[in-house]
Amino acid sequence: MGQVDRIVSNSPRHTLGTGHYESWFQRANHPSRQDAFWIRYTIFSPADSPDRAVGELWAIYFTPGRVVAVKEVHPLSSCRFDPGLNVQISGATLVDGRLDGQAALGEHTIGWSLSYTGDDPPLLLLPPGLYDAPLPKAKALVGTPMAVFDGELVVDGDTIPIDGWIGSQNHNWGSKHTDQYAWGQVAGFTEAPNAFLELSTARIRIGPFTTPWMTPMVMRLDGEEHRLSGLPRAILSNHGRYDEDALVWSFRGRQGGFELEGEIRGDAENFVALPYDNPPGGTKICLNSKVARCVIDVRHQGVTRRLTSERAAFEILTDRRDHPIPLLQV
């Protein structure tokens, strides 16, 4: 895939008539409060019935003691997924630098009118050569890291001004969801406001076999990008372990003279469980929070720094349904 601009990186990979999912999601946090939003535009095509492909709108608003989540499903005939970043699902639109729309579920409604800016180049969590390879079947990248959002949300009739919230615009796709993963992202630490971290601990099934756990990490810090994401390193040198009951994830890795070790931890009251349909069939459960806590120690050039954030994205994908976290009923 190589180095690409964000327009190319956000172009749709979907081919009509195939089993496929593809999402463009935007997320951001208030600069100082534990408030956040997550908005996702998705195309879903089941492998056994690609003629039943649909467009989905998801939105979540997080604030202390309250999580509001909604989802709408629309026929593909009301959607558009054009080259570049040009998505429409019913009346909701997403283009480079702007998203507008509304979604409702039950008694809850979330509307958004947002613009975003960001000059950082796309960030690839996987080694570039894997984006056009058959495995893994799920791909993910950050089209606009360190995006700055402005505008407003309207959550159940309450208007929430969005003024300089920090986050990212992201793109993921595949013919099958990753079997198990924890995923994390931090857009700015208290001690390093321009630093950006993306990482995952995951494993996949290939036929009757399950791969070892892999923990790719990429960190941008002080104008440098540190890629701890090559497959041998992600499997053999990096380490990650998460507990989906305790909602805690520890990880460590190194690349040359750069070492990273840390933890992401969340509170159950700040999560919602989302049902993700899987193109081959079945449903995965995504435990989703955008207001988790992250603490990392970074060692570089003989100096150790501790970086912290109360505004980390934290997701766990699982098959389990016995969590106390409420499952979004759609």
Side-chain angles (χ1 to χ4, degrees):
M1 186 173 181
Q3 294 298 317
V4 295
D5 64 32
R6 70 171 181 259
I7 300 299
V8 174
S9 69
N10 279 311
S11 287
R13 270 64 172 183
H14 177 250
T15 301
L16 290 177
T18 63
H20 187 83
Y21 77 91
E22 187 160 4
S23 296
W24 294 263
F25 73 87
Q26 294 61 234
R27 69 99 183 170
N29 296 76
H30 187 279
S32 59
R33 300 196 310 263
Q34 264 201 311
D35 295 348
F37 67 80
W38 176 87
I39 298 168
R40 191 174 86 150
Y41 295 66
T42 296
I43 181 171
F44 175 75
S45 175
D48 59 350
S49 303
D51 56 313
R52 293 193 290 111
V54 295
E56 302 173 347
L57 287 172
W58 302 72
I60 310 175
Y61 175 63
F62 301 86
T63 193
R66 182 185 180 207
V67 179
V68 177
V70 297
K71 178 192 177 184
E72 287 186 354
V73 179
H74 295 275
L76 198 62
S77 59
S78 70
C79 305
R80 189 180 72 242
F81 303 90
D82 292 336
L85 186 54
N86 193 348
V87 177
Q88 177 179 333
I89 298 178
S90 187
T93 57
L94 169 65
V95 296
D96 186 41
R98 180 146 200 103
L99 58 153
D100 295 272
Q102 178 178 290
L105 180 65
E107 61 185 11
H108 296 300
T109 301
I110 299 178
W112 57 92
S113 180
L114 299 165
S115 64
Y116 66 90
T117 58
D119 297 325
D120 290 3
L123 183 149
L124 308 182
L125 180 60
L126 299 173
L130 292 183
Y131 283 87
D132 294 320
L135 292 174
K137 294 185 177 181
K139 325 287 188 183
L141 59 81
V142 188
T144 307
M146 296 303 297
V148 180
F149 288 80
D150 293 285
E152 67 178 26
L153 300 179
V154 180
V155 180
D156 294 341
D158 296 329
T159 299
I160 294 99
I162 306 299
D163 183 9
W165 290 31
I166 310 298
S168 59
Q169 179 274 315
N170 307 264
H171 185 198
N172 56 48
W173 67 93
S175 60
K176 176 186 176 185
H177 286 297
T178 301
D179 293 288
Q180 293 174 274
Y181 71 65
W183 171 83
Q185 187 186 91
V186 181
F189 291 82
T190 301
E191 300 82 3
N194 295 318
F196 192 93
L197 172 66
E198 172 128 348
L199 70 160
S200 178
T201 291
R203 64 180 177 181
I204 61 175
R205 286 192 295 270
I206 303 174
F209 303 103
T210 300
T211 67
W213 288 101
M214 299 169 280
T215 303
M217 312 177 194
V218 179
M219 184 164 197
R220 290 180 176 172
L221 178 65
D222 299 333
E224 294 184 67
E225 181 174 277
H226 303 277
R227 299 190 57 81
L228 294 70
S229 60
L231 283 189
R233 182 171 303 281
I235 295 172
L236 300 174
S237 300
N238 297 351
H239 299 278
R241 168 179 263 180
Y242 63 89
D243 184 329
E244 60 186 87
D245 291 305
L247 300 172
V248 61
W249 173 23
S250 59
F251 44 83
R252 68 180 188 274
R254 62 183 301 168
Q255 169 67 50
F258 183 87
E259 299 179 46
L260 187 155
E261 182 173 2
E263 178 185 277
I264 296 178
R265 179 183 295 270
D267 297 322
E269 66 181 12
N270 292 325
F271 278 80
V272 63
L274 306 179
Y276 283 177
D277 292 330
N278 208 5
T283 302
K284 308 292 288 188
I285 304 300
C286 178
L287 310 181
N288 189 314
S289 179
K290 298 297 175 280
V291 287
R293 299 180 297 280
C294 179
V295 179
I296 61 172
D297 290 322
V298 176
R299 303 174 185 90
H300 186 45
Q301 297 179 343
V303 177
T304 299
R305 300 165 64 184
R306 172 155 289 191
L307 305 180
T308 62
S309 174
E310 297 289 329
R311 299 180 296 279
F314 185 13
E315 298 179 6
I316 294 174
L317 197 72
T318 180
D319 292 316
R320 290 175 49 191
R321 293 172 175 264
D322 59 347
H323 296 278
I325 297 167
L327 178 67
L328 187 69
Q329 300 296 323
V330 296

